[in-house]
Amino acid sequence: MAVLPKYKSQVASFVIFAPLKKFDMKEVRVRFAPSPTGPLHIGGVRTALYNYLFARKHNGKFLLRIEDTDQTRFVPGAEDYIIESFKWCGIEYDEGVGIGGPHAPYRQSERKDLYKAYAEQLINEGHAYYAFDTPEELDQMRERLKAKGVATTQYDAFTRMEMVNSLTLSQEETNIRLNSGDPYVIRILIPENEEITINDLIRGEVNVHTSRLDDKVLFKSDGMPTYHLANIVDDHLMEISHVIRGEEWLPSAPLHVLLYRYLGWEPPQFAHLPLLLKPDGNGKLSKRDGDRLGFPVFPLKWTDPQNGEISSGYRESGYLPDAFVNMLALLGWNPGTEQEIFSLGELVQAFSIERVGKSGSKFDPEKAKWFNHHYLSQLPDATVAELLSDILTEKGLAVEMNFLTKVAGLVKDRAVLIPDLWDQSHFFFIAPETYDEKIVQKFWKPEIPPILKQVSGSIIGIDDFSTEKIDHSLKAFIQENGLGMGQVMNTLRLVLVGGSFGPGVAAIISVLGKEETQSRIERALKTLGS
RNA sequence: GGUCCGUUCGUCUAACGGUUAGGACGCCAGGUUUUCAUCCUGGUAAUAGGGGUUCGAUUCCCCUACGGACUACCA
């Protein structure tokens, strides 16, 4: 902090220090706090991404905390899945599960012992109470209210005095129940007749009247806190400055504000992100939509440990992580410029929470493909060759990198997803054994075999076996002999690749080499007749 | 049902009272090309409806409609 020179007046010091105040603010610390109940879907990845971008943009910290307070919903592998998804996307976190940090542990089940004291503090200060109602009794209460035509069947000011809790029981009775080991929960005591205001970074001011809130359970009978308590306690202890989370949390935000107040803590800033919607129709994007519409909903492939059900992932489908992240970032946020290709670093620079939209975004699989095609075609040939090499290895083929790099340069523009690379290039590695029937019908005329033999002969004479030289030579040959361009080129293509696809004929010949080209011509003459 | 949030081309979105309502994806057409793609050029297409406020509303306010989220001892 700069020392204020003595000669500056009071007024001047105010002017100078007012803007500096911003730098004085506490460090930006955000968290992504998933519950390990299954694979993280792309909506979750986007929430994590926005948290990450926000943290980096403000030189803050991004933490990963696992909210596993519901033991019944724990799914093995889910936590690793989240970490691996982050790695694939390039989202790095500074503290959290797997890497530790100053506020470890970062798994709520391992922090179990610390929550109860806060719940008890709330009780002691009259902001919470013990409740002994059984699930059956709760159901009955709701049924009773419904029968009476009451709209909100909640455990609230309207009903709490009819239930079994430390508000309706005497101190003695309560103690007896507590001491005898009766199961109980701890509920917040929502105040009556008060307007709670949340200042949301995305939505502005949101007001909710406490009469609409219910006495949510903070501490469960199994000894674990609920999300509501645990998230407030941990966010405070971990010094979280901004809570950036999905819109589905907006309705419970007033409750959280109340908890901060009762615990005597300063609440963080809130930002509730709009949801990702299904591409067709309406509603939140779900796992089923992917199966139904044929696109991945998850970053990585996931096999359900319970029933073995497989969900496809972007990685396995052949998307590049950069393309995936770029596409996701623009779904609900925009930079205010017309730029739409962003590296992760550029996203960090450009990101601002104010430019996140308010309304839900329908996910568009076509746009995702467009991004991937763009990224793939921008990749250096050598990098594409590596991708190709992995595919070949899987297929039991080994091809030298030099050759692969040439092939990569020719086919990368033609592929949308990584597997397309193979579809566009297989003939470079395996000579065609069959020929497209339609193309044969169309071009394999009696005059063709002698022409091909001549072409084969003329190729021998080319010294510099470059695409340009081959192209010239071929064109010259066609002209000299008064042949049709399409006639010769298409047949040659048929012979070399087995059909009507692929890069330019001259380029293919150049990469294939003299011998292979001639051998393929001979082979076709044998198969299709000379 | 109740509470809260939202609503610009088919989709993602820009325009923070004055624009021929802009861009991108998709789609269509044309061009390049030996095939198929790519690529290039052009085109199609939107302020949910109704009231206000204002000289002027996509923009501010209200109502309606529609959509969504939430409404567990789940997160």
Side-chain angles (χ1 to χ4, degrees), chain A residues 117-296:
Chain A
Y118 294 103
E120 282 170 347
Q121 182 192 328
L122 290 171
I123 290 177
N124 294 337
E125 292 170 8
H127 297 305
Y129 57 93
Y130 295 105
F132 302 96
D133 315 275
T134 63
E136 292 72 32
E137 287 168 336
L138 290 172
D139 284 345
Q140 284 167 16
M141 178 267 282
R142 294 192 181 103
E143 288 304 318
R144 203 167 57 235
L145 289 177
K146 220 183 280 177
K148 271 202 267 180
V150 178
T152 48
T153 59
Q154 300 188 133
Y155 204 118
D156 58 11
F158 190 72
T159 50
R160 70 169 78 97
M161 296 316 284
E162 296 168 12
M163 306 303 287
V164 188
N165 53 50
S166 58
L167 263 25
T168 55
L169 261 28
S170 72
Q171 178 89 324
E172 269 178 6
E173 282 173 310
T174 301
N175 285 337
I176 290 169
R177 279 182 181 258
L178 253 22
N179 292 333
S180 67
D182 264 19
Y184 67 89
V185 300
I186 296 174
R187 287 180 181 272
I188 186 172
L189 181 62
I190 295 288
E192 283 182 61
N193 202 24
E194 197 183 320
E195 196 76 8
I196 307 286
T197 299
I198 300 142
N199 248 307
D200 191 276
L201 258 20
I202 293 170
R203 281 152 223 285
E205 219 175 73
V206 177
N207 295 300
V208 179
H209 194 87
T210 51
S211 62
R212 304 299 168 195
L213 268 29
D214 63 336
D215 292 355
K216 278 270 182 304
V217 171
L218 301 178
F219 199 84
K220 301 185 274 183
S221 59
D222 66 358
M224 279 286 205
T226 60
Y227 168 84
H228 301 295
L229 211 221
N231 118 85
I232 266 73
V233 169
D234 285 343
D235 281 348
H236 171 73
L237 261 22
M238 294 179 183
E239 301 174 78
I240 297 302
S241 61
H242 301 258
V243 168
I244 304 171
R245 79 232 294 195
E247 193 184 11
E248 67 269 28
W249 293 111
L250 193 52
S252 54
L255 165 71
H256 301 159
V257 168
L258 236 25
L259 283 170
Y260 278 104
R261 185 195 298 169
Y262 291 156
L263 258 3
W265 300 334
E266 188 191 342
Q269 294 273 302
F270 289 102
H272 289 93
L273 267 21
L275 266 18
L276 244 39
L277 275 18
K278 52 186 74 194
D280 61 336
N282 295 299
K284 193 157 76 157
L285 181 67
S286 77
K287 183 181 160 190
R288 296 277 165 237
D289 298 317
D291 303 338
R292 190 168 54 83
L293 271 14
F295 67 90

Side-chain angles (χ1 to χ4, degrees), chain A residues 234-484:
Chain A
D234 285 343
D235 281 348
H236 171 73
L237 261 22
M238 294 179 183
E239 301 174 78
I240 297 302
S241 61
H242 301 258
V243 168
I244 304 171
R245 79 232 294 195
E247 193 184 11
E248 67 269 28
W249 293 111
L250 193 52
S252 54
L255 165 71
H256 301 159
V257 168
L258 236 25
L259 283 170
Y260 278 104
R261 185 195 298 169
Y262 291 156
L263 258 3
W265 300 334
E266 188 191 342
Q269 294 273 302
F270 289 102
H272 289 93
L273 267 21
L275 266 18
L276 244 39
L277 275 18
K278 52 186 74 194
D280 61 336
N282 295 299
K284 193 157 76 157
L285 181 67
S286 77
K287 183 181 160 190
R288 296 277 165 237
D289 298 317
D291 303 338
R292 190 168 54 83
L293 271 14
F295 67 90
V297 177
F298 300 101
L300 316 178
K301 181 176 155 188
W302 167 261
T303 307
D304 190 307
Q306 303 286 309
N307 54 22
E309 196 182 317
I310 291 171
S311 302
S312 66
Y314 278 84
R315 182 177 65 183
E316 291 74 14
S317 299
Y319 284 83
L320 264 7
D322 291 354
F324 174 71
V325 166
N326 194 158
M327 174 273 295
L328 221 44
L330 256 21
L331 216 50
W333 168 85
N334 79 83
T337 65
E338 280 177 3
Q339 181 180 354
E340 55 182 344
I341 298 300
F342 288 90
S343 66
L344 195 53
E346 289 171 326
L347 284 173
V348 167
Q349 287 310 308
F351 189 77
S352 84
I353 203 81
E354 290 79 14
R355 292 204 67 91
V356 173
K358 289 181 170 73
S359 52
S361 314
K362 285 189 186 177
F363 178 72
D364 181 3
E366 287 306 315
K367 190 94 182 217
K369 284 184 188 168
W370 177 81
F371 271 109
N372 207 65
H373 173 258
H374 178 85
Y375 272 82
L376 204 48
S377 63
Q378 295 296 309
L379 246 29
D381 293 353
T383 309
V384 178
E386 298 281 352
L387 296 173
L388 212 37
S389 175
D390 292 343
I391 298 173
L392 293 180
T393 305
E394 239 171 75
K395 296 187 184 289
L397 297 169
V399 179
E400 59 138 351
M401 269 337 249
N402 224 337
F403 185 81
L404 274 186
T405 305
K406 285 188 212 164
V407 172
L410 290 180
V411 303
K412 65 178 184 180
D413 283 352
R414 319 171 75 82
V416 173
L417 302 178
I418 294 170
D420 300 339
L421 250 19
W422 168 257
D423 301 331
Q424 294 294 335
S425 70
H426 58 86
F427 54 85
F428 281 110
F429 318 112
I430 300 170
E433 292 180 6
T434 58
Y435 303 91
D436 187 319
E437 201 56 47
K438 268 191 192 159
I439 308 300
V440 172
Q441 288 281 322
K442 193 169 174 189
F443 292 106
W444 200 264
K445 299 283 154 65
E447 66 271 23
I448 290 297
I451 295 174
L452 284 184
K453 280 177 201 165
Q454 271 183 280
V455 169
S456 182
S458 80
I459 283 172
I460 300 177
I462 306 172
D463 292 330
D464 171 15
F465 213 60
S466 69
T467 301
E468 293 71 28
K469 282 279 154 56
I470 296 165
D471 196 48
H472 281 143
S473 162
L474 245 26
K475 281 176 178 159
F477 171 84
I478 288 165
Q479 207 167 20
E480 281 161 22
N481 294 282
L483 301 166

Side-chain angles (χ1 to χ4, degrees), chain A residues 64 78-88 91 93 97-98:
Chain A
L64 174 61
E79 186 183 307
D80 289 339
Y81 180 96
I82 292 163
I83 293 172
E84 206 185 334
S85 297
F86 276 21
K87 274 188 190 148
W88 184 64
I91 299 173
Y93 54 99
V97 130

